[in-house]
Amino acid sequence: MSFDLVLFGGTGDLTWRKLMPALFQAFRHGKLPEHGRILAVARDERTHDQYRDFIRERFANVESAKRPTDEEFSQFARMLFYRRMDLAQPEHYAGLRRWIEQPSGEDGRASGPADTAVMFLATSPHLFPQICAQLGAVGLNGPRVRVVLEKPLGHDLASAQEINRVVRASFSEDQALRIDHYLGKPAVQNLMALRFGNALFEPIWRRESIANIQITIAESIGVGTRGDFYDRTGALRDMVQNHALQLLTMIAMEPPSTSDADAIRDEKLKVLKSLRPFTAESVARDVVRGQYKAGTVDGTPAPGYLDEAKVPAGSRTETFVALRTEVQNWRWAGVPFYLRTGKRLAARDAQIVVNFREVPHPIFPGANQPNKLVIKLQPEDGLELHLMAAKGAGSNESLTPVKLDLDFDKAFDTERVGAYEKLLLDAIAGRLNLFVRSDEQEQAWRWVEPILKGWADDPNGPRAYAAGSWGPPASSAMVARDGHVWDEEQ
Ligand code: BG6
């Protein structure tokens, strides 16, 4: 199979930090289809070789195991091309079309267009409408073409709908691939395997057996060099509207009838539509926002958010969100789902904890800890099933907590495929399962909007938390109201 992958924003952060390393890994693993060309487009003038040198230098920042040798890079670089484009100029899109449809030998393909052309928009989202409209205007929207859109997709429901409207004018739903890189993480795909590839859990995956579910995406890093972007965005838009809600849909969805993309996405959409809508009262009660102050992370002093580069003085942007919601259907009625994410927290740790109910009638002395299943997403990728066991030390013995611990990195002797590598290969192959459909994305915005409104009307800004902690104490208090605790406190 032959392909052309066009990276709009070809000199930007996302391209050299994530996409090129992922493409190189795919190449190294022999997964990238052989007859492929990767074309970076950006504003400035460069030759193909200058661009290859630029990428070669950037690979120095990649962790050593994932860095190409000179020999590997020169093979990979044969697929790399560069083209200057002013995204406002229609004739530049016409030139791009010629490059794709009438390649000359110098462009790495002797003749004829590739089987598929993927336009990856790794640009600022305000350019998406313009790029999509121009691609459509020059006919670069035929059935062989797909467009990949990176988040953030909109700032609120109206802006997301506007982007979708413009994208839809040129591309069908199946041609528009919205990336949520969490869906590409191996651990998230394993969640589907756990639930729908095993008969064991499904009968107990419901309100009768489950007391609460906790989804945590904690980061120990701060906003780094992205202060200006982050300050306009905040944790709710950056992490909750997309990554955390996607995880929630994977946990809560009904079994799809097939593994087809739309069968899965229909079920995810139903979950989003079943989430309890927020009101002004429930925002005040069930959502906690925080902002980090100076503290210590991993033994190193860390500045407060307001001291980070490019963050405006007095900013009220949240760097932490914890919230409580419910999925209003027969399977989940009354089961709290707690979501939590933040920057500069105590650890980099993403996990989903399914806390089961207590045994209905305890017969052993001492405390009987309820079972829990911990789905570890990162940094480890694994599963822990916490059980109670008898040591056999005597009669009338109290039970001891033990755990079954599965580390997928050890269980599989092959290197696990990274999120962007997986998603780029899926985009090239046209596999849509792990991309977000426009109705899912809009529904997620619809659900978070009352939170944005509640905060806008709230004279109190975010609550302070020390860098290196687990967020404001109000987050633990919210969970404690239901008689639960966040998993790291157990
Ligand atoms: C991105 C957010 O979508 O996800 C970042 O914009 C965040 O702020 C990142 O740091 C987290 O991704 P990962 O894969 O490192 O957990």
Short mmCIF file of all heavy atoms in Angstrom, two decimals, residues 15 87 114 128 190 236 372 429 458-459:
data_model
loop_
_atom_site.label_atom_id
_atom_site.label_comp_id
_atom_site.label_asym_id
_atom_site.label_seq_id
_atom_site.Cartn_x
_atom_site.Cartn_y
_atom_site.Cartn_z
N THR A 15 4.82 18.22 15.68
CA THR A 15 5.46 17.42 14.64
C THR A 15 6.78 16.83 15.12
O THR A 15 7.01 15.63 15.00
CB THR A 15 5.68 18.27 13.37
OG1 THR A 15 4.39 18.64 12.88
CG2 THR A 15 6.42 17.50 12.30
N LEU A 87 -0.74 29.22 4.02
CA LEU A 87 -2.03 28.53 4.12
C LEU A 87 -3.19 29.38 3.63
O LEU A 87 -4.30 28.88 3.45
CB LEU A 87 -2.26 28.06 5.56
CG LEU A 87 -1.23 27.03 6.05
CD1 LEU A 87 -1.48 26.66 7.49
CD2 LEU A 87 -1.23 25.78 5.17
N ALA A 114 -0.80 8.16 -4.63
CA ALA A 114 -0.74 7.07 -3.65
C ALA A 114 -2.14 6.51 -3.41
O ALA A 114 -3.14 7.15 -3.75
CB ALA A 114 -0.16 7.60 -2.35
N PHE A 128 -7.80 25.38 11.18
CA PHE A 128 -8.48 24.19 10.64
C PHE A 128 -9.53 24.55 9.59
O PHE A 128 -9.55 23.94 8.51
CB PHE A 128 -9.16 23.37 11.75
CG PHE A 128 -8.23 22.68 12.71
CD1 PHE A 128 -8.75 21.98 13.79
CD2 PHE A 128 -6.86 22.72 12.56
CE1 PHE A 128 -7.91 21.33 14.70
CE2 PHE A 128 -6.01 22.09 13.47
CZ PHE A 128 -6.55 21.40 14.54
N ASN A 190 -6.40 -1.98 26.02
CA ASN A 190 -6.54 -3.15 26.87
C ASN A 190 -7.80 -3.12 27.71
O ASN A 190 -8.31 -4.16 28.11
CB ASN A 190 -5.34 -3.23 27.81
CG ASN A 190 -4.57 -4.48 27.51
OD1 ASN A 190 -5.16 -5.54 27.36
ND2 ASN A 190 -3.28 -4.35 27.39
N LEU A 236 -9.84 21.82 32.55
CA LEU A 236 -11.14 21.26 32.13
C LEU A 236 -11.17 21.03 30.62
O LEU A 236 -11.56 19.98 30.13
CB LEU A 236 -12.27 22.21 32.54
CG LEU A 236 -13.67 21.67 32.32
CD1 LEU A 236 -14.02 20.59 33.34
CD2 LEU A 236 -14.71 22.78 32.39
N LYS A 372 -10.78 -4.35 44.75
CA LYS A 372 -10.69 -3.28 43.75
C LYS A 372 -9.84 -3.74 42.59
O LYS A 372 -8.93 -4.56 42.75
CB LYS A 372 -10.17 -1.98 44.36
CG LYS A 372 -8.74 -1.96 44.73
CD LYS A 372 -8.33 -0.58 45.25
CE LYS A 372 -6.90 -0.66 45.77
NZ LYS A 372 -6.47 0.52 46.47
N ALA A 429 -4.19 3.63 7.52
CA ALA A 429 -4.94 2.44 7.10
C ALA A 429 -6.45 2.69 7.06
O ALA A 429 -7.20 1.83 6.61
CB ALA A 429 -4.63 1.29 8.04
N ASP A 458 -18.59 32.59 39.28
CA ASP A 458 -18.15 32.38 40.67
C ASP A 458 -17.05 33.39 41.02
O ASP A 458 -15.98 33.39 40.40
CB ASP A 458 -17.62 30.94 40.78
CG ASP A 458 -16.99 30.66 42.13
OD1 ASP A 458 -17.17 31.47 43.06
OD2 ASP A 458 -16.31 29.63 42.25
N PRO A 459 -17.30 34.28 41.99
CA PRO A 459 -16.27 35.27 42.32
C PRO A 459 -15.01 34.64 42.93
O PRO A 459 -13.93 35.22 42.86
CB PRO A 459 -16.97 36.18 43.35
CG PRO A 459 -18.11 35.37 43.89
CD PRO A 459 -18.50 34.39 42.82
#
